[in-house]
Amino acid sequence: MDLIRHLRFFVAVADERHFGRAAAALEMTQPPLSQGLRRLEQHLGVDLIHRTRQGAVLTSAGLALLPRARLLVDDAQRLLAESQRIAHSHGAVQWGATAALPDRMVTACVTALRTTVGKGAAVSTTVGATVDLVADVRAGLCDVAVIEHPALVDGVEAGPVVKVPRWLVVPSDHRIAVAERPTFPMLAGLAFVHPPRAANPPAFDTVVDLLRERGLDVPTVSARDDRALLAAVAAGASFGLTATPPSPTPGVTWLRMAPQAIALRVRVVRRPGADTHADAVDRVLYRERLR
């Protein structure tokens, strides 16, 4: 749980005494704000806000904890500012990429970022889950990150969405691998391999809904990255999606089906002041997506 982020929700609601106005102040929609505040209350074990028709009213626990919450949120902001100062003084770039981004695009982004910091400066890469990358950018631990879309991006600046080609990967001995006209319903009986839902709930739900729209309602199996995904597919009981281009892989067949629908949607998020780094990564995404 991102405690500082959820405390920021609490402070905003306490200041505005209204969920809608607090959401507007945080540049987000009201449902995730309300859900986040409930998660904070569950985590702390106390009710912080009474929800009424007139607005939001602090409980006795909320009144007692609000000063400490303000201190933590303010300290987090100061930590962010100090981390940015230190990073800039060393000329280093901290950036992150979703594990769904293919290797060629990760290395292309690193190469582009090197040009923004000059010779000898360090470029440090973190590959991880979208929710963690957004939290790192929000906290100042990353300057920029490439994340999956859709995702909750409150508290960070986000660029346009870019579509990256993605393929369906299936067991080589499955009937769909040799079908003249493969269809999604042919995948019935296989499990869908995908990063865990917790890595980015909106993107996970979107792709599951996409499969259901095409007549496929199957169980899901978690795989942390493409290596685990391809291993699960080669085992013969699963299929998945990958942005890694086709290559000779024992036990696995790549299929191009509904390319626009299954494309990997990504975007760049950045901390304030990291526009130069974000622009460099954006250019890579737009260039590499055409390959």
Side-chain angles (χ1 to χ4, degrees), residues 4 10 15 23 56 84 94 192 219 227 232 237 248 250 254 272 280:
I4 298 300
F10 169 45
D15 287 343
Q84 292 173 0
Q94 307 285 336
F192 176 47
R227 178 177 294 176
W254 270 253

Side-chain angles (χ1 to χ4, degrees), residues 186-240:
M186 289 181 180
L187 295 166
L190 298 178
F192 176 47
V193 186
H194 194 277
R197 185 177 185 275
N200 185 14
F204 180 93
D205 293 344
T206 296
V207 73
V208 169
D209 288 344
L210 170 69
L211 294 175
R212 287 174 178 163
E213 288 171 3
R214 282 159 173 74
L216 196 60
D217 192 354
V218 293
T220 60
V221 176
S222 294
R224 184 180 61 181
D225 52 28
D226 268 12
R227 178 177 294 176
L229 183 151
L230 293 174
V233 172
S238 308
F239 72 95

Side-chain angles (χ1 to χ4, degrees), residues 32-94:
L33 170 64
S34 181
Q35 293 165 12
L37 186 55
R38 289 189 185 281
R39 283 195 291 270
L40 176 63
E41 290 175 324
Q42 292 170 1
H43 183 71
L44 298 178
V46 295
D47 290 334
L48 300 171
I49 300 287
H50 281 314
R51 295 153 178 85
T52 70
R53 292 183 178 180
Q54 289 72 35
V57 179
L58 287 169
T59 65
S60 58
L63 286 168
L65 294 175
L66 180 59
R68 178 63 61 185
R70 288 191 190 281
L71 285 174
L72 289 171
V73 171
D74 290 344
D75 281 347
Q77 288 297 113
R78 285 192 285 271
L79 175 65
L80 172 59
E82 182 65 11
S83 68
Q84 292 173 0
R85 184 192 66 77
I86 294 171
H88 292 162
S89 67
H90 289 82
V93 177
Q94 307 285 336

Side-chain angles (χ1 to χ4, degrees), residues 82-265:
E82 182 65 11
S83 68
Q84 292 173 0
R85 184 192 66 77
I86 294 171
H88 292 162
S89 67
H90 289 82
V93 177
Q94 307 285 336
W95 88 289
T98 169
L101 202 68
D103 291 347
R104 76 173 193 280
M105 297 185 75
V106 172
T107 55
C109 287
V110 171
T111 302
L113 286 169
R114 288 183 63 192
T115 67
T116 69
V117 294
K119 187 176 181 180
V123 176
S124 179
T125 304
T126 298
V127 176
T130 287
V131 292
D132 294 332
L133 294 173
V134 172
D136 285 350
V137 173
R138 187 186 298 114
L141 300 177
C142 270
D143 296 298
V144 298
V146 180
I147 64 167
E148 286 189 77
H149 173 81
L152 295 177
V153 293
D154 55 288
V156 299
E157 299 177 14
V161 177
V162 178
K163 288 184 178 181
V164 176
R166 192 157 57 171
W167 289 263
L168 190 74
V169 283
V170 301
S172 295
D173 58 357
H174 193 273
R175 66 189 182 102
I176 196 174
V178 294
E180 290 186 10
R181 296 183 179 179
T183 63
F184 283 93
M186 289 181 180
L187 295 166
L190 298 178
F192 176 47
V193 186
H194 194 277
R197 185 177 185 275
N200 185 14
F204 180 93
D205 293 344
T206 296
V207 73
V208 169
D209 288 344
L210 170 69
L211 294 175
R212 287 174 178 163
E213 288 171 3
R214 282 159 173 74
L216 196 60
D217 192 354
V218 293
T220 60
V221 176
S222 294
R224 184 180 61 181
D225 52 28
D226 268 12
R227 178 177 294 176
L229 183 151
L230 293 174
V233 172
S238 308
F239 72 95
L241 298 172
T242 179
T244 300
S247 62
T249 305
V252 179
T253 295
W254 270 253
L255 298 177
R256 196 68 183 271
M257 295 173 58
Q260 289 299 313
I262 70 170
L264 174 66
R265 290 163 172 80

